């Protein structure tokens, strides 16, 4: 490797060293006595559950937050990191989980921002262009400098972010959950680029919660749990099981115990379903499928390819333009005025993709949240007025049954962790004993322990005869839970494959829009 | 026919005079709104500028000092707005309305306290005002038929601030699209997170945009009270700040388009004055209130999506939280 041959003094030190970093926000201790060492020219993974403090730590390294105590050393020099401007100066670049790009600007303008070079734009722009062309040719980071960012797809936007982060010769590159929005193929391309960068002497910090990625690409890995660093490992000397245990603090069943389905009668079907939005964009096109009692049909696809529209159309939250839907024997056409209420009354349950917007009312107490949509049933009491004793009892029972922690019905919904919020929604929807269930992103932002629980619950409901339609951006989740998998791309059904025939490669190609000859 | 053309020329001349404060305020609005701050307080800054200009000019006899202090007043009002909605992340519309109320009340109270003329400031002598400037060669061109009149009435014969307003438009466009400051202002109004992560202070940038806006509003105020007018009259801004904001929206937050919107609104007002009392064939007399309402009606139609599609800065109105 190149950095070995150049015997500069700095090369004897690690690229980045954190010593005893702590940070709290109010009463919450986000980071506690963190030590971390990142070697020059290595890919270092940071894994941990949601809320383990990974993002806080990265924001401290990038100067977005200031550590309460502890010191940061870069290339052997102790630094005082007060703002991202400092971090950039010390050669740290960051690719944020939510892209920091200005959609109405061109790629070049986005890259120029922050390093304009002078009062006028000309010089900085020329330099940015040169930088961009250099990176394009040396690392395969190809992107049109004059394209508007809003016209780029997610993979291209990420490339712009990386180019931005590398400008000014960054020596440490932080990537926060970079593969969440990519197809498997795009993720592979990204990893190739990262490897070339590493071999060129760049140290890469990769934040992720996907164990397979850590095993595939990192050289070393650090594990965080509840704000603390619980271990550092060489990737070659550890296993996914050990990492998962360190993350959660106990042994975890990584594989879902997926017994074969016993499909019975068709409970949910769609035929020629289409939706064109008000701007005239076709968001769903000619989608047909059926889901039987006792099976899970998973929907795979890069997010934003019609999954949300499909779920909302089936749940009655959004109209559809063409085709028909059949729910438990009742056929609905685009002409029918469909409301979520009417659909619920047919026996359909819905765990929405965005639980903060559609699943919960965050400032409401858990007991009130637990009867949302069921406030006119006996759950809310038998009379015209709410019977808060009954409501509270109902909530307490469900919290025990679904292991919601803390099991306090009077706590506001927003004060539960992501996993427990999801359990509240699941408790509410499962208890209504739906004949058909729509599940969107069941484990987004949910910790590993709760994921295990939620997966088990879903399979139990399936075995009790429910017909389940599952949407998830986590391909692993779709693959391990589903009995059959439908792939959506550009609002079209690319094909439906049996889960046992599906592998990442095939699904990835389908997610990119390639129809498979063998599709069943 | 010649009479009609002469009337038109006078209307255009009036248009320019009416549009001047609108143009300056609209350019101010473009800077602040493009940086992500809703600037309903254009009105209040305009009014404060007008009052301070007239007061300082009355005491010192200097129009230039009046202008300078008006600019300072506009900046101070802007800084109050910024302190509330940048530093303390308050609601920008509420803060803007508060500035307008403050300006409206304070100018009257101070005016009565200083001059005891019911909120007016004393009439200024010619020397302490910006008076129309006669350009070189007006006499010579007077003999040339059409061109002479055009030159005398439309091009020459305005006060300094009218020309400054006209200059402000290309200058705003240049700053916004060709300079570092402009790039950052446009960026911070769209995606402040990106600006922050590029190592640039969001707050400082927005304050600077507000300061530029305040200075432009102060100039517009000075125009009202010591250039076009000869003293300050209470509530003399009379909604011009709001119309300028409408022009900003109508011009889709772009300098040149907003400039034309200002000219259009100015022409409407000039035409209103000329049409007062006239019966138009088949239509009858047009109520002046309707003409005055047209800028607002057009803006509402625009925002409702009937005339093109507005593209407001994406982060407009949202305080930036890390």
């Amino acid at each position: 490797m190149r950095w070995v041959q150049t015997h500069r003094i700095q090369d004897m030190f690690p690229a980045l060293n954190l010593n005893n970093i702590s940070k709290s926000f109010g009463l919450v201790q986000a980071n506690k006595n963190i030590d971390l060492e990142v070697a020059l020219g290595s890919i270092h993974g940071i894994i941990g559950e949601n809320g383990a403090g990974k993002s806080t730590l990265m924001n401290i390294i990038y100067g977005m937050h200031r550590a309460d105590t502890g010191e940061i050393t870069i290339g052997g020099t102790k630094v005082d990191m007060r703002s991202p401007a400092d971090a950039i100066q010390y050669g740290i670049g960051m690719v944020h989980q939510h892209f920091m790009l200005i959609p109405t600007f061109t790629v070049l303008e986005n890259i120029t921002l922050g390093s304009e070079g002078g009062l006028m734009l000309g010089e900085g722009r020329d330099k940015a262009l040169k930088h961009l062309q250099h990176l394009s040719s040396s690392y395969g980071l190809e992107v049109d400098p004059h394209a508007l960012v809003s016209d780029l797809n997610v993979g291209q936007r990420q490339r712009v972010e990386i180019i931005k982060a590398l400008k000014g010769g960054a020596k440490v590159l932080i990537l926060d959950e970079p593969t969440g929005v990519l197809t498997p193929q795009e993720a592979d391309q990204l990893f190739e680029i990262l490897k070339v960068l590493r071999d060129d002497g760049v140290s890469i910090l990769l934040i992720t919660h996907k164990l397979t990625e850590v095993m595939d690409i990192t050289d070393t890995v650090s594990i965080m749990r509840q704000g603390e660093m619980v271990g550092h490992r060489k990737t070659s000397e550890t296993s996914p099981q050990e990492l998962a245990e360190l993350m959660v603090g106990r042994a975890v069943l990584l594989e879902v115990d997926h017994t074969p389905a016993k499909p019975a009668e068709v409970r949910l079907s769609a035929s020629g379903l289409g939706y064109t939005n008000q701007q005239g964009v076709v968001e769903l096109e000619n989608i047909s499928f059926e889901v039987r009692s006792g099976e899970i049909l998973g929907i795979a696809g890069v997010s934003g390819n019609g999954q949300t529209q499909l779920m909302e159309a089936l749940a009655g939250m959004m109209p559809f333009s063409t085709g028909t839907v059949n729910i438990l024997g009742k056929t609905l056409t685009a002409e029918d005025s469909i409301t979520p209420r009417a659909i619920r009354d047919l026996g359909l349950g819905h765990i929405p993709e965005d639980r903060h917007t559609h699943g919960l009312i965050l400032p409401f107490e858990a007991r009130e949240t637990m009867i949302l949509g069921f406030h006119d049933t006996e759950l809310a009491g038998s009379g015209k007025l709410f019977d808060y004793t009954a409501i509270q009892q109902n909530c307490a029972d469900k919290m025990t049954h679904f292991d919601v922690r803390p099991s306090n019905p009077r706590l506001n919904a927003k004060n539960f962790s992501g996993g427990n919020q999801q359990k509240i929604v699941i408790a509410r929807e499962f208890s209504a004993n739906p004949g058909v269930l729509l599940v969107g992103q069941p484990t987004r932002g949910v910790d590993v322990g709760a994921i295990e629980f939620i997966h088990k619950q879903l399979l139990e409901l399936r075995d009790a005869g429910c017909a389940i339609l599952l949407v998830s951006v986590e391909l692993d989740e779709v693959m391990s839970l589903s009995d059959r998998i439908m792939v959506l791309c550009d609002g079209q059904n690319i094909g439906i494959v049996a889960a046992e025939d599906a592998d990442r490669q095939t699904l990835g190609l389908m997610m990119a829009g390639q129809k498979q000859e063998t599709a069943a | 026919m010649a009479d009609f053309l002469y009337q038109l020329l006078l209307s255009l001349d009036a248009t320019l005079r009416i549009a001047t404060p609108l143009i300056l305020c609209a350019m101010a609005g473009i800077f602040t709104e493009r940086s992500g701050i809703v600037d309903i307080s254009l009105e209040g800054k305009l009014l404060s500028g007008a009052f301070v200009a007239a007061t300082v000019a009355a005491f010192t006899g200097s129009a230039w000092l009046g202008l300078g202090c008006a600019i300072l007043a506009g900046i101070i009002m802007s800084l109050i707005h910024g302190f509330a909605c940048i530093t303390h992340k308050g609601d920008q519309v509420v803060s803007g309305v508060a500035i307008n109320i403050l300006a409206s009340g304070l100018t009257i109270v101070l005016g009565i306290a200083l001059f005891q003329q019911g909120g007016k400031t004393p009439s200024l002598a010619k020397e302490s005002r910006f008076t129309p400037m006669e350009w070189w060669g007006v006499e010579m061109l007077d003999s040339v038929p059409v061109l002479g009149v055009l030159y005398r009435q439309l091009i020459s014969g305005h006060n300094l601030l009218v020309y400054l307003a006209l200059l402000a438009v290309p200058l705003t466009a240049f700053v916004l699209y060709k300079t570092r400051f402009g790039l950052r202002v446009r960026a911070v109004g769209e995606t402040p997170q990106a600006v922050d992560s590029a190592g640039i202070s969001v707050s400082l940038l927005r304050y600077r945009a507000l300061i530029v806006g305040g200075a432009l509003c102060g100039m517009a105020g000075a125009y009202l009270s010591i250039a076009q007018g000869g003293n300050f009259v209470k509530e003399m801004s009379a909604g011009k700040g709001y119309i300028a904001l409408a022009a900003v929206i109508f011009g889709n937050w772009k300098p040149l388009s907003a400039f034309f919107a200002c000219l259009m609104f100015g022409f409407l007002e000039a035409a209103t004055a000329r049409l007062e009392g006239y019966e138009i064939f088949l239509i009858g007399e047009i109520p002046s209130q309707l003409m005055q309402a047209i800028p607002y009606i057009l803006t509402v139609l625009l925002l409702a999506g009937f005339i093109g599609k507005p593209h407001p800065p994406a982060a407009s109105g949202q305080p930036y939280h890390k």
Side-chain angles (χ1 to χ4, degrees):
Chain A
M1 275 177 275
R2 202 177 292 172
W3 58 269
V4 178
Q5 289 143 14
T6 59
H7 291 282
R8 286 179 301 147
I9 299 289
Q10 282 140 299
D11 293 348
M12 295 157 65
F13 293 100
L16 174 75
N17 197 344
L18 303 185
N19 186 10
N20 210 22
I21 295 275
S22 293
K23 171 82 184 170
S24 17
F25 297 100
L27 291 174
V28 184
Q29 179 113 41
N31 283 163
K32 214 182 296 172
N33 310 330
I34 303 274
D35 291 324
L36 178 68
E37 185 178 305
V38 182
L40 264 179
S42 71
I43 299 181
H44 190 111
I46 308 261
I47 59 165
E49 296 182 90
N50 291 93
K54 296 170 296 192
S55 288
T56 305
L57 187 64
M58 294 311 120
N59 283 332
I60 288 173
I61 300 175
Y62 192 60
M64 302 279 271
H65 295 313
R66 212 163 171 198
D68 299 333
T69 60
E71 48 190 54
I72 303 175
T73 316
I74 293 169
T77 326
K78 214 183 111 184
V79 296
D80 182 19
M81 204 72 85
R82 277 175 302 185
S83 72
D86 289 341
I88 293 166
Q89 211 183 345
Y90 291 124
I92 296 177
M94 179 155 176
V95 175
H96 298 265
Q97 187 176 5
H98 304 287
F99 296 154
M100 299 288 184
L101 295 174
I102 294 137
T104 54
F105 277 22
T106 63
V107 169
L108 198 54
E109 281 178 314
N110 267 290
I111 296 171
T112 312
L113 184 72
S115 56
E116 297 87 347
L119 283 178
M120 296 296 137
L121 285 181
E123 190 192 334
R125 201 180 308 192
D126 295 346
K127 226 162 74 188
L129 186 62
K130 224 175 263 164
H131 165 76
L132 188 147
Q133 283 160 344
H134 165 70
L135 288 180
S136 295
S137 53
S138 12
Y139 302 113
L141 283 163
E142 269 161 41
V143 57
D144 174 11
H146 303 292
L148 276 183
V149 165
S150 54
D151 294 338
L152 302 182
N153 67 32
V154 186
Q156 292 169 316
R157 287 185 197 200
Q158 188 169 58
R159 270 180 240 161
V160 180
E161 277 284 24
I162 295 175
I163 293 170
K164 244 175 70 181
L166 287 174
K167 82 182 161 190
K171 281 284 151 204
V172 178
L173 181 65
I174 305 170
L175 296 117
D176 193 355
E177 302 274 3
T179 58
V181 288
L182 303 182
T183 63
Q185 279 78 9
E186 282 175 322
D188 287 343
Q189 275 177 17
L190 170 68
F191 290 156
E192 286 314 309
I193 291 168
L194 293 186
K195 282 177 192 159
V196 179
L197 283 169
R198 168 189 62 190
D199 295 344
D200 241 16
V202 177
S203 308
I204 292 162
L205 264 172
L206 180 74
I207 325 279
T208 179
H209 64 267
K210 294 182 185 166
L211 292 171
T212 45
E213 282 176 10
V214 172
M215 298 309 293
D216 283 351
I217 180 167
T218 62
D219 302 311
T220 44
V221 54
S222 299
I223 306 96
M224 291 185 74
R225 181 172 71 227
Q226 289 170 3
E228 291 182 80
M229 207 49 108
V230 291
H232 304 283
R233 295 284 185 277
K234 274 211 165 86
T235 310
S236 53
E237 292 166 7
T238 185
S239 67
Q241 281 72 22
E242 187 195 15
L243 293 177
E245 266 187 61
L246 283 165
M247 276 164 70
V248 185
R250 61 183 171 80
V252 180
L253 198 64
L254 273 182
E255 283 296 309
V256 182
D257 190 13
H258 189 241
T259 50
K262 301 183 192 71
E265 82 281 4
V266 174
R267 286 195 170 176
L268 170 68
S269 66
S271 140
L273 193 66
Y275 174 66
T276 307
N277 72 10
Q278 282 163 343
Q279 281 81 44
V281 179
V282 179
E283 295 195 302
L284 293 176
E285 194 180 346
N286 194 21
I287 291 186
S288 306
F289 63 87
E290 46 189 40
V291 193
R292 291 172 178 272
S293 161
E295 74 162 350
I296 297 179
L297 176 67
I299 297 178
V302 179
S303 61
N305 275 278
Q307 297 96 318
T308 305
Q309 287 80 356
L310 179 61
M311 293 295 263
E312 295 196 348
L314 292 174
M317 293 161 68
M318 192 189 84
F320 48 93
S321 319
T322 55
T324 59
V325 172
N326 187 303
I327 297 169
L328 290 159
K330 168 98 169 139
T331 304
L332 303 165
T333 65
E335 283 76 40
D336 294 324
S337 66
I338 304 163
T339 62
R341 159 92 308 167
I343 301 251
R344 266 184 188 282
D345 288 345
L346 292 175
L348 179 139
H350 183 203
I351 295 170
E353 285 187 297
D354 183 349
R355 62 174 164 269
H356 286 172
T357 315
H358 296 132
L360 302 160
I361 299 180
L362 292 172
F364 275 26
E365 290 174 3
R367 58 180 186 167
E368 293 165 322
T369 305
M370 201 63 100
I371 56 163
L372 281 182
F374 301 95
H375 48 273
D376 53 356
T377 69
E378 65 279 8
L379 288 181
S382 45
K384 283 281 172 205
L385 298 175
F386 274 3
D387 175 356
Y388 271 102
T389 329
I391 291 171
Q392 178 133 351
Q393 192 54 48
N394 161 59
C395 184
D397 291 348
K398 283 178 186 159
M399 283 177 139
T400 323
H401 188 238
F402 286 88
D403 191 30
V404 181
R405 278 176 275 181
S407 61
N408 175 3
R410 301 298 305 269
L411 200 63
N412 284 348
K414 65 165 178 266
N415 294 334
F416 290 89
S417 72
N420 285 300
Q421 286 176 342
Q422 188 69 318
K423 284 187 201 165
I424 292 176
V425 179
I426 285 176
R428 183 180 74 214
E429 299 297 322
F430 279 24
S431 308
N433 206 7
V436 177
L437 183 71
L438 308 177
V439 189
Q441 317 296 355
T443 57
R444 178 187 277 171
V446 168
D447 51 62
V448 176
I451 289 176
E452 205 187 351
F453 178 84
I454 291 169
H455 285 175
K456 236 176 80 207
Q457 290 286 334
L458 278 171
L459 287 171
E460 271 176 28
L461 194 70
R462 176 199 77 170
D463 292 337
C466 187
I468 298 178
L469 186 69
L470 165 81
V471 166
S472 173
V473 288
E474 302 286 347
L475 192 53
D476 290 329
E477 180 167 79
V478 173
M479 288 174 69
S480 59
L481 283 178
S482 310
D483 302 304
R484 291 183 300 136
I485 298 170
M486 171 161 85
V487 182
L488 287 187
C489 178
D490 273 339
Q492 295 182 34
N493 178 358
I494 299 299
I496 298 180
V497 291
E500 56 268 25
D501 301 336
D503 55 59
R504 297 183 68 84
Q505 184 63 25
T506 327
L507 288 175
L509 289 174
M510 290 172 77
M511 281 159 74
Q514 271 187 43
K515 292 210 159 80
Q516 296 295 300
E517 303 280 323
T518 53
Chain B
M1 192 63 194
D3 183 53
F4 172 75
L5 282 179
Y6 191 65
Q7 288 293 325
L8 186 69
L9 188 67
L10 287 184
S11 292
L12 289 178
D13 183 48
T15 297
L16 201 54
R17 275 185 279 117
I18 295 167
T20 294
L22 300 183
I23 295 169
L24 286 167
C25 283
M27 296 308 123
I30 284 176
F31 274 107
T32 46
E33 294 248 325
R34 270 303 190 67
S35 81
I37 291 178
V38 171
D39 206 358
I40 206 158
S41 62
L42 290 176
E43 177 78 6
K45 291 180 231 172
L46 176 66
L47 191 61
S48 330
F51 174 76
V52 170
T55 305
V56 172
F59 279 125
T60 64
S62 160
W64 286 100
L65 266 181
L67 175 65
C69 291
I71 288 174
L72 270 182
I75 292 176
I76 290 170
M77 291 306 244
S78 271
L79 290 178
I80 297 175
H81 189 35
F83 186 68
C85 64
I86 301 173
T87 306
H88 290 289
K89 307 187 196 311
D91 188 293
Q92 300 170 358
V93 175
V94 173
S95 157
V97 170
I99 299 264
N100 291 346
I101 296 172
L102 177 72
S104 158
L106 203 60
T107 49
I108 296 175
V109 170
L110 289 177
I112 291 175
L114 290 172
F115 304 106
Q116 290 89 35
Q117 292 183 12
K120 274 195 231 165
T121 64
S123 294
L124 296 169
K126 219 172 167 202
E127 301 75 58
S128 38
R129 289 175 53 190
F130 289 102
T131 46
M133 297 153 52
E134 191 140 294
W135 282 33
W136 178 83
V138 167
E139 311 280 327
M140 228 161 63
L141 274 175
D142 260 350
S143 51
V144 183
V146 178
L147 211 60
V149 178
L150 215 63
Y151 187 65
R152 175 180 274 282
Q153 291 293 340
L154 203 57
I155 315 262
S156 165
H158 297 286
N159 62 63
L160 175 76
L161 290 168
V162 175
Y163 299 114
L164 278 182
L166 291 177
L167 205 63
V169 179
L171 212 59
T172 302
F174 178 80
V175 169
L176 214 49
Y177 295 109
K178 298 283 177 203
T179 69
R180 174 174 70 189
F181 177 62
L183 181 79
R184 292 180 173 185
V185 164
R186 285 185 291 134
V188 81
E190 288 289 337
T191 319
Q193 301 87 327
V195 172
D196 193 15
S197 92
I200 305 162
S201 163
V202 172
S203 302
L204 196 63
L205 200 50
R206 287 188 166 168
Y207 266 113
R208 285 165 64 196
L210 270 178
I211 287 173
V212 174
L216 286 166
C217 282
M219 281 163 84
Y223 174 82
L224 290 184
S225 67
I226 63 170
Q228 188 188 30
N231 66 344
F232 175 83
V233 184
K234 66 178 180 183
E235 303 291 358
M236 87 182 298
S237 54
K240 290 192 174 61
Y242 296 118
I243 298 202
L245 189 61
V248 170
I249 297 167
F250 205 80
N252 233 332
W253 290 267
K254 294 192 179 89
L256 200 62
S257 315
F259 168 68
F260 285 121
C262 289
L263 286 185
M264 184 176 79
F265 293 167
F267 180 75
L268 283 172
E269 202 181 322
T272 310
R274 300 217 162 257
L275 287 176
E276 196 106 39
Y278 275 92
E279 293 268 339
I280 292 181
F281 182 61
L282 281 184
I283 304 173
E285 193 177 330
I286 298 177
S288 63
Q289 291 87 347
L290 179 70
M291 298 289 276
Q292 282 162 6
I294 285 180
Y296 300 109
I297 295 172
L298 284 175
T299 306
V300 169
L301 288 178
L302 177 83
L303 285 176
F306 289 110
I307 320 168
K309 201 167 173 282
H311 294 282
S316 181
Q318 300 157 10
Y320 177 62
H321 296 277
K322 256 197 186 167

